[in-house]
Amino acid sequence: DIVMTQSPLSLPVTPGESASISCRSSQSLLHSNGYNYLDWYVQKPGQSPQLLIYLGSSRASGVPDRFNGSGSGTDFTLEINRVEAEDVAVYYCMQALQTPPWTFGQGTKVEIK
Amino acid sequence: QVQLVESGGGVVQPGTSLRLSCVASGFSFSSYGMHWVRQAPGRGLEWVAFMKYDGSDKFFADSVKGRFTISRDISKNTLFLQMNSLRVEDTAVYYCARVRDNHSPLRFWGQGTLVSVSS
């Protein structure tokens, strides 16, 4: 099974500054078709998870361009630019290449300083 | 618009059974794969089960294999998770989510239903 490892697990951020979350997979998520099967989800307090980024770097519908996904192979990053109070949430990465099982990272809790 | 509504959660004793439902609307239910994902209190997300769009493939996490089954009633646009031999560690909010295929992102999620297994 592919193991997903996120860091940090907790990330205090000052509003207006940037935040960066790392996600590493135990095996490459790069398919022969050139796509990385790595998705990012956000779960705001009291809500269901929502898709944020798919295929490593494509924003889901309605996601502000402050959110950017990057990386390839085994190393991925979610960057949140100009953090706002509404970005307080837990962010998860998930791999969808070698399935089953689908595996999530532990989650990174972003909070405002 | 796409809607997924879970139900069937509750408080049950270890060793008993429960069936969760996920009613889908706003899309062609038979054309999409469906996942169950759970979240224990204060913990992260854990994938539980998947059914391919045509029902030909069903997969389960090792933690529930042999105890949980996934099924659907296309006529009722409903996905089910039959949970048998429940354990305390199955306590979680259970979400259903829609995907296009095995590699697709979980683009739509329900609001979840809470299952609490306690003696």
Side-chain angles (χ1 to χ4, degrees), chain A residues 1 31 37 39 41 43 47-51 54 60-61 92 94 96-106, chain B residues 35 37 39 43-47 49-50 59-62 95 101-112:
Chain A
D1 297 355
H31 192 276
Y37 285 89
D39 307 318
Y41 297 88
Q43 187 176 31
Q47 296 185 16
S48 304
Q50 300 172 50
L51 177 65
Y54 62 98
S61 176
Y92 297 92
M94 187 201 81
L97 179 65
Q98 291 191 21
T99 61
W102 287 256
T103 46
F104 291 91
Q106 314 98 301
Chain B
H35 286 279
V37 175
Q39 185 171 37
R43 305 295 296 273
L45 301 173
E46 179 190 16
W47 169 75
F50 170 75
F59 302 115
F60 300 91
D62 286 346
Y95 299 99
D101 60 40
N102 295 34
H103 303 298
S104 297
L106 283 64
R107 204 174 290 273
F108 294 97
W109 297 64
Q111 86 290 348

Side-chain angles (χ1 to χ4, degrees), chain A residues 33-100:
Chain A
N33 63 12
Y35 290 108
N36 285 282
Y37 285 89
L38 184 283
D39 307 318
W40 289 96
Y41 297 88
V42 57
Q43 187 176 31
K44 296 184 178 181
Q47 296 185 16
S48 304
Q50 300 172 50
L51 177 65
L52 193 64
I53 301 283
Y54 62 98
L55 296 176
S57 60
S58 296
R59 283 185 219 94
S61 176
V63 173
D65 59 9
R66 300 186 294 105
F67 292 87
N68 292 288
S70 63
S72 183
T74 61
D75 289 321
F76 298 88
T77 301
L78 175 68
E79 294 224 24
I80 312 172
N81 295 315
R82 304 181 302 282
V83 169
E84 301 179 0
E86 67 176 28
D87 300 332
V88 167
V90 180
Y91 294 81
Y92 297 92
C93 60
M94 187 201 81
Q95 69 85 19
L97 179 65
Q98 291 191 21
T99 61

Side-chain angles (χ1 to χ4, degrees), chain B:
Chain B
Q1 74 278 23
V2 174
Q3 271 203 307
L4 299 170
V5 179
E6 301 94 335
S7 63
V11 181
V12 296
Q13 292 191 327
T16 60
S17 299
L18 204 58
R19 189 177 80 159
L20 305 184
S21 300
C22 167
V23 177
S25 60
F27 65 98
S28 176
F29 183 60
S30 61
S31 298
Y32 289 85
M34 297 293 294
H35 286 279
W36 286 100
V37 175
R38 69 184 180 183
Q39 185 171 37
R43 305 295 296 273
L45 301 173
E46 179 190 16
W47 169 75
V48 174
F50 170 75
M51 172 182 276
K52 195 175 175 181
Y53 75 97
D54 59 3
S56 62
D57 284 331
K58 300 176 184 180
F59 302 115
F60 300 91
D62 286 346
S63 57
V64 307
K65 203 172 291 182
R67 300 188 299 122
F68 289 13
T69 58
I70 188 171
S71 63
R72 64 182 181 176
D73 184 338
I74 292 176
S75 68
K76 295 181 180 178
N77 283 355
T78 302
L79 177 75
F80 301 104
L81 185 68
Q82 178 67 43
M83 305 185 295
N84 299 330
S85 303
L86 282 162
R87 304 170 180 168
V88 171
E89 54 265 33
D90 295 320
T91 295
V93 174
Y94 285 74
Y95 299 99
C96 61
R98 188 196 89 169
V99 293
R100 193 163 284 280
D101 60 40
N102 295 34
H103 303 298
S104 297
L106 283 64
R107 204 174 290 273
F108 294 97
W109 297 64
Q111 86 290 348
T113 186
L114 175 62
V115 173
S116 181
V117 185
S118 172
S119 54

